[in-house]
Amino acid sequence: PRFVEAVLADARLTAMYRGERFEFRSRADTVAQVLRLLWEGDAFVGQVLYRAKAALQARGVPFLPRLCHRLAMITSQVCIGDPVVIRPGLYLPHGQVVIDGIVEIGSGTVIRPWVTIGLKDGVLFGPTIGPRVRIGTGAKIVGPVHIGERATIGANSVVVHDVDAATTVTGVPARPRRSVPPLSPSTLPRAEDGREDPRG
């Protein structure tokens, strides 16, 4: 994706998730909002540096991509490898994110802190993550798995298999979360005297 297009999409999504105005009114307003997010958001700095690195690499510029990569790690603890492709529109609430390998991430994805998206030993291809996926704090997505559109990866989950679209997975290894039927009077636990136990 082009640098300006990607940064603007990232800025709009970031502002939206922060509960702020995300419709920019003019070119000057757009520049002001991007600068504000750079000042206020640690992870947004890392995102913009990743976008700059990718744009510079596409133009064959030497040295500067490495500098952008180092600055992203220093300022935001965001480490995004060279083969990673992130479509415009990513939200990182905070840093401490590692993404590496031949990985593709769709638009509208949310990646919480302490997330690792990467490779299995000896395999160069990493995850393909569809659009509008939510990845919880501390989750790990490893190997050439496919995460479907609008899936949710629970906090601290370890994903090593494909995840269907609009599915929530949790656990180690991550599995689809089963829906729990609502309690009815016949299923409530009862105290020794036969009354319903208010603790459930």
Side-chain angles (χ1 to χ4, degrees), residues 138-160:
K140 309 289 184 282
I141 306 176
V142 182
V145 298
H146 182 270
I147 311 298
E149 181 176 359
R150 296 177 58 226
T152 299
I153 311 301
N156 298 314
S157 299
V158 177
V159 178
V160 292

Side-chain angles (χ1 to χ4, degrees), residues 19-114:
E20 301 165 352
R21 177 171 58 84
F22 57 92
E23 291 298 333
F24 304 150
R25 297 171 182 145
S26 65
R27 182 174 295 180
D29 182 47
T30 299
V31 171
Q33 295 305 320
V34 169
L35 290 174
R36 180 183 61 79
L37 290 170
L38 285 168
W39 179 256
E40 294 178 357
D42 60 331
F44 190 71
V45 173
Q47 285 178 250
V48 172
L49 286 166
Y50 157 73
R51 299 294 188 190
K53 178 187 81 165
L56 290 166
Q57 285 175 326
R59 289 174 173 80
V61 177
F63 177 70
L64 290 179
R66 291 291 93 206
L67 179 60
C68 290
H69 183 70
R70 292 291 179 187
L71 287 173
M73 290 193 292
I74 291 167
T75 59
S76 309
Q77 297 181 35
V78 170
C79 179
I80 302 175
D82 294 346
V84 176
V85 174
I86 301 177
R87 300 296 172 197
L90 171 71
Y91 177 47
L92 300 178
H94 300 287
Q96 299 88 37
V97 171
V98 176
I99 308 171
D100 203 6
I102 300 175
V103 171
E104 183 171 344
I105 298 175
S107 299
T109 294
V110 177
I111 303 175
R112 301 284 175 186
W114 308 110

Side-chain angles (χ1 to χ4, degrees), residues 128 143-148 153 159-165 167 169 174-176:
T128 300
V145 298
H146 182 270
I147 311 298
I153 311 301
V159 178
V160 292
H161 301 291
D162 291 353
V163 177
D164 292 336
T167 299
V169 297
R175 301 181 189 282

